[in-house]
Amino acid sequence: MRALSRSRAPWLHVLAFSAAINLLMLTGSIYMLQVYDRVLSSRSMATLIGISAIILVAYIVQGVLDAMRLRLLVRIGAELDHALFPLAARALTQIPLKGRSSVEALQPLRDLEAVRGFLSSLGPTALADLPFLPIFLGACFLLHPVLGWVAIAGALVIVVLTIWLEKSGSALAMRIKRAEAERSDMVESGRRNAESIVAMGMEPALLGRLGRVHGALTLSGIHYSDATCGIGSAAKTFRFILQSAILGVGAYLVIIGQISGGAMIAASILIGRALAPVELGVAHWKGFVAARSGLKRLRTILPHFETPAPDVDLGRPSRQLLLEGVSAMPPGSDRMVLQGISFEIGAGHALGLIGPSGSGKTTLARLLAGIWPASRGEIRLDGAQFEQWPATVRGQFVGYLPQDVELFGGTIAENIARLQFPPNSEAVMRAAKAAGAHEMIVGMRDGYETRIGEGGMALSGGQRQRIGLARALYGEPFLVILDEPNSSLDSSGDEALAQAIAGIRARGGIAIVITHRPSGLASVDLVGIIAGGRLRAFGPKGEVLGQMAAKTRGASAIASASVEAPLRRSA
């Protein structure tokens, strides 16, 4: 992805800062050598002051560079977050449409947060410092080859511990990730179905299942902590042992006259500094593993949600809706729900779709709204395929009212305005009046500024449906799809719905109404019958309904005859 490619240049700056910092880390060892070998032997106060001043400047420069490196890492994380957040947020709405769970939809945002959090921690500094480990090992060799070999042996042990940590921790980390996803999915299901759970006494069973999943997650966390903490403590303890070993070997070399006392102390400081990044890396290993896994998933999934802007603006459609041989199956299914649907509707018309439950009407509504893609065939507006408009542009001339109306926490005006901020007051009221909801809204305590709670909890089913209808009509869209729009409406609501459909036709729009109630067909002029996933009839309302009535009367006559004949024979 381009965002990840752009972060390479700042990382080069981080490595440059790290190189300078690690070179300046030699300051303490050099200072120790000079004090022991020059100042103490010469007893020169001027030399001590001069060396101390130089070392002070070096430490100040080192501190400034370290602070700049940390600030740069935080900004790399923030810039990456800024670039990838729109795609991760878009995945939040697109992944559920592919038949995946809400937990999977949240995963890109969690992964992005894990990457940003790790970049803002001290973990990356350990990774940036590790390549400079040979500098400190080489300095030990310069002091004495034996000290260098002891340092290399210690470094190899630390590398083995790190590999051991990777092998033992990665499988446990994946197990924790799966358990967290299962728990989150169960919690979300419980939140959505809270009313049913309380009403039907399902709470103990739900809490029992949740407790078992939570217990497995806790146990996996304990095992992971045991593994990482044990190896981390071993690495820390070994560093102390290695520093003491360096001192011991250095003391032996001092005794036999091969190095000075300053070299002995300097070697101990060097090996401690060389192994410090390893210890820091072990401490931040969990964050590193989470960030690495998250970045890998982001590289895989986010490119699917990149939508390049079209070269040509097709404008708003205004003439025709055409379906040619459309077939479809729900995401995650291998069964065709719709097969070979074809019809054409011109501007100013309204189509009522009827048929038995499970015949594919709602699937067709989702295709027309652009929620699901067609498996075969084409859907065109004014001759152009749906896909030629980006979803954000297409949504401006498409209105959709689903069976289950989902509203957002906020005000009525914000919901009608499709979350636009600030809402266009004139367009909001025009949509509410078109839906026949204006009087209902102004009758509330705060009118259009009434806060409706999460999912519209403060509203009745009929009120939610009326506000959902107003949202579908916001901006006077050309194509309006209404799926069971009168399922929760009373007689006044049915009348408002009929007027809304008539209003769509009057302004030259197209309305698609899916309904089981005759009142939903009051203002349509076309009717289609879907059964078994196929369009069985299509045409003017009077003609199609007349054919249905004739078939019903014929079937009733045949049934009556089959019942009366045995009765006459028995008489």
Side-chain angles (χ1 to χ4, degrees):
M1 290 181 292
R2 290 189 299 272
L4 296 176
S5 300
R6 286 196 299 268
S7 66
R8 290 174 183 170
W11 268 109
L12 292 177
H13 295 130
V14 170
L15 289 176
F17 282 137
S18 298
I21 290 169
N22 279 275
L23 287 174
L24 290 170
M25 285 289 183
L26 298 172
T27 300
S29 301
I30 295 172
Y31 182 65
M32 192 65 63
L33 276 171
Q34 298 303 314
V35 169
Y36 270 83
D37 296 346
R38 291 181 181 274
V39 174
L40 294 183
S41 60
S42 66
R43 298 183 178 274
S44 172
M45 188 61 68
T47 303
L48 177 60
I49 293 174
I51 294 173
S52 299
I54 294 172
I55 295 301
L56 178 61
V57 172
Y59 276 136
I60 292 174
V61 172
Q62 177 187 329
V64 171
L65 291 177
D66 196 32
M68 291 175 64
R69 180 174 65 167
L70 290 174
R71 288 166 64 89
L72 184 57
L73 284 169
V74 170
R75 280 154 180 77
I76 290 174
E79 182 64 26
L80 189 65
D81 182 270
H82 177 73
L84 298 184
F85 180 80
L87 293 177
R90 189 163 186 264
L92 185 65
T93 60
Q94 295 296 314
I95 289 178
L97 302 183
K98 303 180 185 298
R100 313 284 283 276
S101 69
S102 58
V103 174
E104 291 177 283
L106 287 169
Q107 191 60 52
L109 286 174
R110 291 198 182 101
D111 289 337
L112 185 57
E113 178 63 24
V115 173
R116 189 189 63 79
F118 177 71
L119 290 176
S120 301
S121 70
L122 293 174
T125 64
L127 297 177
D129 289 340
L130 279 175
F132 303 99
L133 179 62
I135 294 177
F136 299 97
L137 299 180
C140 289
F141 268 101
L142 290 177
L143 294 174
H144 196 280
V146 174
L147 295 175
W149 287 115
V150 172
I152 286 179
L156 289 176
V157 172
I158 293 295
V159 169
V160 170
L161 289 174
T162 304
I163 295 173
W164 184 17
L165 176 63
E166 167 68 12
K167 295 295 184 181
S168 60
S170 57
L172 289 171
M174 291 300 298
R175 191 186 307 168
I176 290 173
K177 184 67 68 177
R178 288 193 296 268
E180 285 177 342
E182 186 178 357
R183 184 184 65 177
S184 298
D185 199 12
M186 195 173 297
V187 168
E188 177 64 18
S189 297
R191 186 193 66 81
R192 288 198 312 266
N193 300 286
E195 293 182 1
S196 299
I197 290 169
V198 173
M200 293 185 285
M202 299 164 59
E203 189 173 2
L206 175 67
L207 294 180
R209 294 181 63 186
L210 185 60
R212 288 191 292 272
V213 173
H214 182 74
L217 174 60
T218 303
L219 187 60
S220 297
I222 291 173
H223 291 162
Y224 183 86
S225 179
D226 288 346
T228 55
C229 290
I231 297 173
S233 298
K236 186 176 181 179
T237 302
F238 182 77
R239 182 164 71 89
F240 293 148
I241 294 173
L242 186 58
Q243 282 185 277
S244 298
I246 287 286
L247 278 175
V249 173
Y252 168 75
L253 294 174
V254 171
I255 291 172
I256 63 176
Q258 294 194 11
I259 63 172
S260 65
M264 175 187 70
I265 301 299
S268 177
I269 295 174
L270 283 171
I271 198 62
R273 178 64 196 99
L275 299 182
V278 179
E279 186 179 332
L280 186 62
V282 171
H284 289 83
W285 192 259
K286 185 176 181 180
F288 168 70
V289 171
R292 183 183 60 184
S293 302
L295 190 59
K296 182 179 179 180
R297 283 190 293 267
L298 290 174
R299 285 181 181 274
T300 302
I301 195 169
L302 291 191
H304 296 291
F305 301 108
E306 293 179 336
T307 53
D311 296 328
V312 178
D313 183 6
L314 296 176
R316 290 172 65 95
S318 59
R319 301 191 311 273
Q320 173 200 60
L321 169 67
L322 175 65
L323 276 73
E324 295 180 328
V326 171
S327 300
M329 62 179 68
S333 172
D334 57 357
R335 183 178 69 88
M336 283 289 183
V337 175
L338 288 178
Q339 299 183 49
I341 304 293
S342 298
F343 61 79
E344 180 180 349
I345 306 176
H349 292 278
L351 169 65
L353 287 174
I354 57 178
S357 298
S359 60
K361 301 187 300 300
T362 294
T363 297
L364 180 57
R366 288 171 175 157
L367 295 180
L368 293 174
I371 298 171
W372 290 349
S375 302
R376 291 197 294 267
E378 295 179 344
I379 302 175
R380 295 179 177 271
L381 285 171
D382 289 2
Q385 294 187 24
F386 256 36
E387 293 75 14
Q388 295 182 23
W389 283 281
T392 53
V393 176
R394 187 176 63 234
Q396 297 174 12
F397 53 79
V398 172
Y400 178 57
L401 177 66
Q403 284 188 21
D404 300 320
V405 181
E406 291 287 348
L407 300 179
F408 297 90
T411 66
I412 291 177
E414 290 170 343
N415 275 274
I416 294 177
R418 304 185 180 185
L419 301 183
Q420 291 180 4
F421 185 82
N424 185 323
S425 300
E426 183 180 346
V428 166
M429 284 194 290
R430 188 161 55 244
K433 290 176 180 178
H438 177 71
E439 298 298 330
M440 176 195 76
I441 294 171
V442 297
M444 296 181 181
R445 178 178 177 180
D446 296 320
Y448 284 91
E449 297 304 313
T450 300
R451 304 196 70 83
I452 61 176
E454 184 181 0
M457 292 178 59
L459 304 175
S460 67
Q463 289 174 323
R464 285 198 297 270
Q465 202 150 35
R466 297 277 282 274
I467 293 173
L469 176 59
R471 180 177 63 186
L473 300 177
Y474 180 79
E476 298 185 344
F478 173 67
L479 176 61
V480 180
I481 303 103
L482 308 175
D483 193 356
E484 298 291 349
N486 55 351
S487 59
S488 300
L489 299 181
D490 54 17
S491 58
S492 63
D494 285 335
E495 183 179 349
L497 174 63
Q499 293 177 354
I501 297 171
I504 296 170
R505 295 181 58 191
R507 60 176 172 77
I510 294 176
I512 309 291
V513 185
I514 297 171
T515 182
H516 284 101
R517 292 168 57 179
S519 60
L521 301 177
S523 294
V524 305
D525 61 323
L526 300 172
V527 169
I529 301 174
I530 295 182
R534 297 183 180 274
L535 187 64
R536 304 297 180 179
F538 179 87
K541 179 172 66 173
E543 181 181 322
V544 173
L545 294 182
Q547 293 174 357
M548 283 184 61
K551 289 181 180 179
T552 302
R553 286 194 297 270
S556 299
I558 293 172
S560 298
S562 64
V563 172
E564 291 173 359
L567 292 176
R568 286 196 298 269
R569 286 196 299 269
S570 63

